[in-house]
């Protein structure tokens, strides 16, 4: 079932009309469907059901506590990349033994907090980080469970800003150096080697790069075993794409079918770190048209959401579908317009030269596929309060994050 669809003439999230949300909560607002979140999570869980697995939802995609706690109740673990994300994951009730810590620049304080919390695994990205973690673990009086993030050098065929598995990217340890790096890891007394990790990029729309990379990792696991280093956890990262426009990404089942045969014989537990494919299409950004503006050269629809609420079009030239909330508008004459926000930058657009049914001042619009990498990338640029976030469950909704106030924005500042 489509969880975000027209019902009774209004675009609705489950059984709640987005007009009702806008009237009660105001705009801009992010609105998420709980059923869509749980369906997407369940699709992964079912796809890997016959293989020992743990789905560590990638917190960076959407870290609102209401979203995290919903996934935690469904059994999700977490992939975190900062002390802040550790704090959120624990606050949301994700068990520490289901948390893995990624990222190229973990600080010693962050390592200490994660060790004290007793997380499942640290994915280490350089030899310097490996040595630092060893020292911190010995200080704390424990051994840090580690995996090395191996850079398998495959082309994920995605936007260059979100490709991570190529030789030239800052991520991971080059696969050619992996054996030596593991040998050193195994020698360090503050570390316990438990796993191997990769993450090749985001918004991938084919399974072949995942399969190529997983095969390379599988071969490495065997070589390590020959050297007496036993890998129990194999983390394949995240990266499965979603449909924003006309992409036809593989399903979690297609993905599982491509990857599992390559690693099944290794007898490892597979860890998966999906972010976008869990939350991306579970949310919309609800906005209202402020003004229409036509010049001899261009037509603009000025809305109350801006690049501070959704930076993906400005940053990656990303496409997000825009739909009217009122279904009757779908029959309005189509015009080509830029949909822009109030921020004082030419990069502040949600859509460029987009054919859209004519939107009138006061109309409500939904920017689709706005559950992932939207609220988390929001800023207060132009002193704009961050938008409210709402989670819909059937015919009820909860404000899971209230709109910021001006007071929130200056808290912590000093007038001299
Ligand atoms: N694991 C690691 C180590 C990652 O770096 C990422 C995403 C994920 C998992 C989750 O990947 P996903 O399943 O969501 O593709 N802001 C960009 C996306 C950046 C992705 C960063 N890493 C965007 O808006 O497209």
């Amino acid at each position: 079932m489509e969880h975000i669809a027209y019902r009774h003439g209004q675009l609705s999230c489950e059984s709640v009309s987005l007009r009702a949300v806008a009237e009660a909560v105001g705009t801009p607002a992010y609105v998420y469907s709980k059923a869509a979140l749980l369906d997407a999570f369940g699709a992964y869980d079912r796809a890997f059901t016959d293989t020992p697995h743990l789905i560590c939802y990638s917190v960076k995609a959407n870290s609102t506590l209401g979203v995290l706690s919903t996934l935690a109740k469904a059994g999700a673990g977490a992939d975190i990349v900062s002390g802040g994300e550790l704090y959120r994951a624990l606050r949301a009730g994700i068990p520490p033994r289901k948390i893995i810590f990624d990222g190229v620049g973990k600080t010693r304080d962050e390592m200490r907090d994660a060790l004290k919390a007793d997380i499942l695994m640290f994915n280490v990205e350089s030899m310097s980080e490996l040595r630092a973690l060893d020292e911190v673990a010995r200080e704390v009086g424990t051994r840090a469970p580690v995996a090395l993030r191996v850079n398998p050098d495959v082309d994920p065929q995605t936007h260059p800003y979100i490709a991570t598995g190529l030789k030239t990217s800052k991520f991971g340890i080059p696969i050619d150096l992996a054996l030596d790096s593991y040998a050193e890891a195994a020698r360090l007394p503050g570390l316990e080697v438990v796993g191997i990790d990769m993450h090749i990029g985001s918004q991938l729309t084919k399974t072949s790069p995942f399969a190529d990379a997983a095969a390379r990792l599988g071969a490495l696991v065997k070589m390590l075993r020959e050297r007496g280093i036993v890998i129990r956890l194999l983390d394949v990262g995240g990266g499965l794409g979603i449909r924003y426009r006309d992409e036809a990404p593989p399903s979690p089942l297609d993905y599982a079918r491509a990857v599992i045969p390559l690693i099944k014989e290794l007898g490892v537990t597979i860890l998966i770190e999906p972010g976008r494919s869990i939350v991306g299409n579970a949310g919309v950004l609800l906005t209202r048209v402020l003004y229409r503006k036509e010049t001899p050269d261009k037509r603009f629809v000025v809305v109350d959401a801006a690049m501070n609420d959704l930076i993906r079009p400005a940053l990656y030239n990303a496409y997000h579908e825009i739909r009217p909330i009122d279904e009757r508008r779908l029959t309005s004459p189509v015009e080509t317009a830029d949909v822009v926000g109030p921020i004082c930058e030419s990069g502040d657009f949600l859509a460029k030269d987009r054919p859209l049914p004519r939107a009138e001042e006061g109309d409500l619009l939904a920017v689709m596929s706005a559950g992932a990498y939207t609220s988390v990338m929001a800023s207060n640029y132009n002193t704009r309060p961050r938008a409210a976030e709402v989670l819909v469950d059937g015919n009820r909704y909860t404000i899971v994050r209230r709109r910021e106030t001006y007071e929130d924005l200056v808290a912590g500042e000093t007038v001299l």
Side-chain angles (χ1 to χ4, degrees):
M1 188 186 115
E2 287 275 325
H3 298 295
I4 298 167
Y6 288 100
R7 283 186 247 290
H8 311 297
Q10 301 289 316
L11 192 63
S12 303
C13 182
E14 302 189 25
S15 304
V16 175
S17 96
L18 291 171
R19 175 171 305 282
V21 175
E23 279 162 8
V25 175
T27 52
Y30 307 93
V31 186
Y32 312 120
S33 155
K34 179 176 175 185
L37 283 178
L38 294 179
D39 274 6
F41 180 77
Y44 272 100
D45 216 13
R46 280 191 303 278
F48 286 91
T49 189
D50 293 331
T51 311
H53 70 278
L54 176 64
I55 302 161
C56 296
Y57 165 69
S58 192
V59 171
K60 66 174 82 63
N62 186 319
S63 57
T64 304
L65 291 178
V67 169
L68 290 183
S69 54
T70 300
L71 292 170
K73 287 200 183 102
D79 146 40
I80 59 162
V81 289
S82 68
E85 288 191 351
L86 174 64
Y87 179 79
R88 279 184 179 276
L90 294 174
R91 278 287 291 264
I94 295 179
R97 297 298 296 169
K98 289 187 177 179
I99 297 179
I100 49 186
F101 199 164
D102 270 300
V104 288
K106 303 172 193 76
T107 66
R108 285 173 186 248
D109 282 343
E110 289 174 324
M111 291 172 178
R112 205 168 287 119
D113 288 348
L115 283 168
K116 288 187 179 152
D118 194 24
I119 67 164
L120 179 63
M121 184 164 87
F122 292 80
N123 289 338
V124 172
E125 302 220 17
S126 66
M127 297 315 285
S128 299
E129 184 195 339
L130 198 67
R131 291 173 201 129
L133 183 58
D134 168 58
E135 280 171 26
V136 176
R138 284 188 283 124
E139 266 165 43
V140 174
T142 183
R143 289 177 80 199
V146 295
L148 296 189
R149 174 166 174 181
V150 174
N151 185 333
D153 191 28
V154 297
D155 183 357
Q157 301 163 33
T158 186
H159 189 287
Y161 284 14
I162 51 179
T164 50
L166 277 170
K167 253 194 227 173
T168 46
S169 99
K170 73 174 176 182
F171 296 102
I173 293 176
I175 190 151
D176 304 338
L177 304 179
L179 285 176
D180 288 346
S181 307
Y182 266 103
E184 168 143 7
R187 273 196 300 272
L188 293 172
L191 304 182
E192 185 195 357
V193 174
V194 294
I196 190 163
D197 169 50
M198 70 181 208
H199 172 76
I200 55 176
S202 196
Q203 184 55 16
L204 271 66
T205 51
K206 293 189 188 132
T207 52
S208 49
F210 290 118
D212 290 351
R216 289 184 191 191
L217 249 62
L220 194 57
V221 169
K222 285 188 200 154
M223 285 190 259
L224 287 168
R225 196 164 291 165
E226 284 159 17
R227 287 164 173 75
I229 297 174
V230 178
I231 300 294
R232 290 189 283 112
L233 306 173
L234 190 148
D235 181 347
V236 290
L240 201 59
I242 61 168
R243 185 188 189 101
Y244 284 100
R245 186 178 196 171
D246 48 15
E247 304 90 334
S251 66
L253 190 59
D254 299 328
Y255 171 72
R257 285 186 177 145
V259 168
I260 290 173
L262 302 165
I263 51 184
K264 209 173 176 70
E265 55 162 343
L266 303 172
V268 292
T269 294
I270 183 162
L271 308 183
I272 318 133
E273 304 173 351
R276 190 192 314 266
S277 49
I278 303 270
V279 284
N281 274 331
V284 303
L285 173 61
L286 189 55
T287 184
R288 196 180 282 280
V289 178
L290 297 172
Y291 303 110
R292 294 179 51 88
K293 173 172 174 177
E294 299 198 22
T295 69
D297 301 300
K298 229 32 212 171
R299 183 181 293 119
F300 298 97
V301 174
V302 184
V303 298
D304 64 3
M307 67 190 290
N308 74 300
D309 304 299
L310 202 169
I311 202 173
R312 303 192 70 258
L315 198 55
Y316 316 113
N317 210 14
Y319 179 98
H320 284 261
E321 189 188 341
I322 297 181
R323 291 198 202 164
I325 300 304
D326 185 347
E327 192 174 12
R328 282 171 312 180
R329 282 277 184 260
L330 291 174
T331 55
S332 298
V334 172
E335 60 179 21
T336 298
D338 283 10
V339 180
V340 300
I343 284 183
C344 301
E345 293 232 16
S346 303
D348 180 25
F349 60 89
L350 301 176
K352 272 227 158 118
D353 295 323
R354 178 74 60 86
L356 283 174
R358 183 184 157 100
E360 304 297 340
E361 294 180 7
D363 275 7
L364 288 167
L365 302 175
V367 185
M368 305 300 290
S369 310
Y373 304 112
T374 51
S375 62
V376 282
M377 295 178 83
S379 77
N380 294 121
Y381 189 35
N382 282 201
T383 304
R384 289 170 52 85
R386 271 175 298 178
E389 294 177 57
V390 172
L391 183 75
V392 174
D393 180 8
N395 57 10
R396 291 175 304 128
Y397 69 84
T398 310
I399 298 173
V400 288
R401 183 178 189 171
R402 65 162 172 78
R403 189 178 306 286
E404 280 177 330
T405 62
Y406 295 145
E407 194 52 44
D408 290 333
L409 299 194
V410 296
E413 294 186 35
T414 306
V415 176
L416 295 178

